[in-house]
């Protein structure tokens, strides 16, 4: 064996940070070395030992090509794909001793002049034939090949014997008992002194597990691509649905549109940065037919199109019932019954307020939701919450109603739980903004302060904020 491929070469050390790239580079260098030695070993084809060595070199190149391909798949990913697919691990079981790499490589030579065949012991094991059985002739070999692969084998053998083309292809064989295995065959003709074909030799390798693992990787990758495409489609649908149902106004809004007594309004939806899916948070402000103003925020648990669809249903029902004059407490009861009757069970929380401008009265109800915060003269406080459990928790829930008289300059802040996760201590941070709110001129200014304080990016959950300032 040439010295540059001898056993004296130092063993490769485990690669460091760029492990996959290092392995790919080592594999490709080794492929170059093996190919160079294979070319040096080319002879006239008459020496059986030389043919066997060249076949082993060719086999080594095929193995290295397979390794190169697998490493490229590992590098290009996606990496979680294989880690999350248990079948990828099961696809290559621990092989018994007789199924080791060397035992899965067999050789054969068929003498066309004497019609004799010579097989190695490994080839008997690959084809599942008894060691004392006679080797199959070229005419008999198709009998162990899967019927639909027989034309492929026949074409390869014919091209080799008639046109002196090398054999390099795969076919499936059926072992006794019905087990199907995939075999890779490499070979070439042995020419007589007059240039005619005297024999054909071949090396056969059982590549069943390799091809099975390749199929598993391919199927896993295809599955992940379909999943990614489906997730992208669901995200787009959820975004479009959310944009269709949330208030169309951006920036500031004044309600009611007519009259001196009004609310200066600003609202914002803040998406989560840790999830590609849209949640079920909403906010809304709407001038009602009786001159009052509807203020509401809410949140359905979960993410995705189904949740966004339920949110759209609830918000549409809420708007319709509020426009019809339903009071907040009764409105919550009806929303709870509606959510309880949906095909997909869900839980949600909400706050619903009706503001009467002529006497600055706020009537409101809540369903397991953070209470509105009231800011006045540089201080902030929580409103006292009426009774109300989560929407969808029980079909027989009853919801109370509370009333608050506001003053000119008051600021009302409604938000979903995702804005300040952590309960009462986190809400205290919102209340601490009271002095800053006192110096603000518009509801939009106050909303900007909230977003700056609690972050528009790097959010664990989506959230909605609605600010209403009582004009003087």
């Amino acid at each position: 064996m040439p010295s540059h491929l001898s056993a004296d070469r130092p063993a490769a050390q485990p690669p460091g940070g760029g492990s996959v790239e290092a392995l790919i580079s080592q594999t490709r260098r080794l492929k170059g070395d093996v190919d160079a030695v294979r070319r040096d070993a080319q002879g006239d084809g008459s020496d059986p030992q030389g043919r066997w060595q060249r076949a082993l070199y060719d086999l080594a190149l095929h193995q290295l090509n397979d390794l190169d391909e697998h490493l490229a798949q590992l590098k290009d990913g996606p990496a979680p794909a294989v880690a999350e697919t248990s079948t990828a691990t099961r696809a290559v079981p621990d092989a018994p001793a007789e199924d080791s790499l060397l035992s899965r490589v067999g050789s054969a030579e068929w003498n066309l002049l004497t019609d004799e065949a010579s097989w190695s012991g490994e080839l008997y094991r690959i084809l599942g034939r008894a060691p004392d059985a006679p080797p199959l002739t070229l005419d008999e070999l198709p009998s162990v090949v899967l019927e639909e692969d027989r034309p492929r084998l026949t074409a390869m053998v014919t091209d080799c014997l008639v046109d002196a083309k090398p054999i390099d292809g795969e076919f499936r064989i059926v072992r006794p008992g019905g087990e199907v295995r995939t075999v890779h065959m490499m070979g070439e003709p042995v020419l007589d002194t007059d240039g005619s074909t005297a024999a054909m030799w071949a090396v056969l390798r059982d590549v069943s597990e390799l091809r099975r693992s390749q199929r598993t990787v391919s199927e896993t990758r295809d599955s992940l691509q379909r999943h990614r495409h489906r997730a992208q489609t669901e995200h787009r649908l959820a975004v479009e649905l959310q944009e269709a149902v949330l208030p169309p106004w951006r920036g500031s809004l004044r309600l009611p549109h007519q009259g001196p007594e009004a609310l200066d309004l600003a609202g914002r939806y803040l998406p989560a940065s840790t999830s590609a899916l849209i949640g079920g948070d909403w906010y809304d402000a709407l001038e009602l037919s009786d001159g009052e103003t509807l203020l509401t925020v809410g949140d359905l648990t979960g993410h995705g199109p189904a949740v966004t669809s339920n949110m759209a249903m609830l918000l549409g029902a809420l708007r319709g019932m509020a426009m019809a004059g339903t009071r907040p407490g009764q409105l919550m009861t009806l929303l709870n019954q509606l959510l309880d009757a949906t095909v997909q069970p869900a839980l949600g929380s909400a706050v619903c307020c009706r503001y009467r401008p002529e006497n600055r009265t706020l009537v409101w109800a809540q369903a397991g939701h953070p209470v509105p915060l009231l800011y006045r003269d540089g201080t902030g406080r929580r409103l006292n919450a009426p009774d109300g459990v989560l929407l969808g928790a029980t079909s027989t829930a009853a919801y109370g109603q509370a009333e608050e008289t506001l003053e000119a300059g008051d600021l009302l802040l409604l938000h979903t739980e995702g804005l300040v996760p952590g309960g009462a201590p986190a809400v205290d941070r919102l209340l601490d903004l009271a002095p800053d709110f006192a110096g603000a001129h518009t509801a939009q200014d106050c909303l900007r302060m909230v977003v700056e304080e609690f972050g528009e990016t790097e959010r664990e959950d989506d959230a909605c904020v609605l600010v209403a300032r009582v004009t003087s």
Side-chain angles (χ1 to χ4, degrees):
M1 178 178 290
S3 59
H4 65 286
L5 284 180
S6 70
D8 295 332
R9 166 179 278 192
Q13 298 300 313
S19 57
V20 176
E21 288 83 358
L23 285 173
I24 291 174
S25 298
Q26 292 175 12
T27 300
R28 292 175 180 173
R29 284 197 299 270
L30 186 55
K31 283 168 58 179
D33 290 343
V34 173
D35 189 48
V37 174
R38 183 178 66 87
R39 289 196 301 270
D40 292 340
Q42 295 287 357
D44 60 6
S46 60
D47 179 18
Q49 182 64 25
R51 292 201 302 269
W52 174 251
Q53 286 183 346
R54 289 200 311 276
L56 288 180
Y57 287 137
D58 289 339
L59 179 60
L61 281 175
H62 272 276
Q63 294 277 26
L64 290 170
N65 282 331
D66 289 335
L67 177 60
D68 193 2
E69 179 182 345
H70 276 293
L71 289 172
Q73 291 173 339
L74 182 63
K75 175 177 178 292
D76 295 335
V82 174
E84 293 173 0
T85 307
S86 60
T87 55
T89 304
R90 295 196 298 268
V92 188
D94 293 334
E98 66 269 21
D99 243 4
S100 66
L101 175 62
L102 290 179
S103 71
R104 288 188 287 114
V105 179
S107 64
E109 183 163 344
W110 290 274
N111 189 313
L112 303 183
L113 302 179
T114 63
D115 202 26
E116 294 177 341
S118 174
W119 283 12
S120 69
E122 289 82 1
L123 185 55
Y124 279 90
R125 283 192 284 271
I126 290 174
L127 300 183
R129 291 181 61 82
D132 56 352
L136 299 176
T137 66
L138 281 179
D139 290 334
E140 295 170 332
L141 185 61
S143 66
V144 299
V145 176
L146 203 65
E147 185 174 358
E148 53 262 41
D149 289 359
R150 290 174 187 171
R152 184 183 312 158
L153 173 64
T154 300
M156 289 192 297
V157 171
T158 301
D159 288 344
C160 179
L161 299 181
V162 176
D163 298 325
K165 292 183 178 179
I167 290 178
D168 188 349
E170 293 183 6
F171 51 87
R172 291 166 294 174
I173 56 110
V174 182
R175 297 172 55 147
E179 181 188 10
V180 177
R181 306 290 290 180
T182 301
V183 173
H184 179 254
M185 183 177 184
M186 298 170 56
E188 61 184 36
V190 179
L191 302 181
D192 205 348
T193 55
D194 61 358
S196 62
T197 303
M200 189 187 87
W201 65 267
V203 174
L204 295 94
R205 177 172 59 131
D206 186 341
V207 294
S208 304
E209 302 305 332
L210 174 62
R211 297 300 175 246
R212 186 176 296 119
S213 66
Q214 288 174 334
R215 287 194 301 271
T216 300
V217 171
S218 177
E219 291 167 0
T220 302
R221 177 170 294 174
D222 291 344
S223 175
L224 287 173
Q225 289 175 343
R226 289 193 299 270
H227 176 76
R228 186 181 298 112
H229 177 72
R230 183 168 61 249
Q232 291 171 343
T233 301
E234 289 180 350
H235 180 265
R236 177 177 53 81
L237 291 174
V239 169
E240 291 175 354
L241 182 57
Q242 184 191 61
E243 291 177 346
V245 298
L246 288 182
W249 49 273
R250 297 293 184 267
S252 297
L253 178 69
R254 178 185 172 91
L255 293 179
H257 297 292
Q258 304 296 327
E261 303 292 339
L263 293 177
D264 174 25
L265 299 161
R268 179 81 64 85
Y269 169 77
L270 302 173
S273 59
T274 56
S275 174
L277 295 178
I278 301 297
D281 290 56
W282 82 77
Y283 72 95
D284 198 17
L286 182 66
E287 182 177 354
L288 303 175
S289 56
D290 57 6
E292 296 184 4
T293 296
L294 169 72
L295 304 175
T296 179
V297 296
D299 179 18
L300 287 182
T301 57
H303 296 84
V307 173
T308 311
S309 177
N310 277 341
M311 179 269 285
M313 174 192 67
L314 285 185
L315 186 53
L318 190 155
R319 288 167 172 166
M321 289 187 289
M323 192 65 74
T326 306
R327 309 308 292 170
Q330 178 62 16
L331 195 152
M332 287 295 179
T333 300
L334 296 173
L335 284 183
N336 179 67
Q337 294 173 359
L338 177 61
L339 193 59
D340 183 69
T342 57
V343 175
Q344 294 180 330
L347 290 175
S349 67
V351 165
C352 179
C353 310
R354 289 180 70 106
Y355 176 71
R356 187 178 303 117
E358 59 265 22
N359 56 9
R360 295 177 179 153
T361 300
L362 184 78
V363 179
W364 67 285
Q366 64 85 29
H369 197 86
V371 299
L373 305 180
L374 177 61
Y375 298 85
R376 179 180 294 166
D377 299 329
T379 61
R381 66 179 177 89
R382 301 172 179 83
L383 296 185
N384 296 322
D387 293 336
V389 299
L390 287 171
L391 298 173
T394 172
S395 59
T396 59
Y399 295 86
Q401 194 168 273
E403 187 171 312
E404 188 79 23
T405 300
L406 305 182
E407 298 178 4
D410 281 356
L411 188 79
L412 196 67
L413 190 150
L414 283 66
H415 67 91
T416 58
E417 193 170 14
L419 178 67
V420 284
V427 175
D428 288 340
R429 291 174 56 200
L430 271 175
L431 295 176
D432 291 340
L433 293 176
D436 298 323
F437 288 167
H441 298 290
T442 66
Q444 187 66 33
D445 292 337
C446 297
L447 176 61
R448 190 176 302 111
M449 294 176 189
V450 173
V451 173
E452 290 174 354
E453 176 68 21
F454 294 95
E456 189 171 8
T457 60
E458 301 302 323
R459 308 190 53 78
E460 294 184 1
D461 195 6
D462 48 358
C464 284
V465 187
L466 180 62
V467 176
R469 183 171 174 269
V470 181
T471 60
S472 56

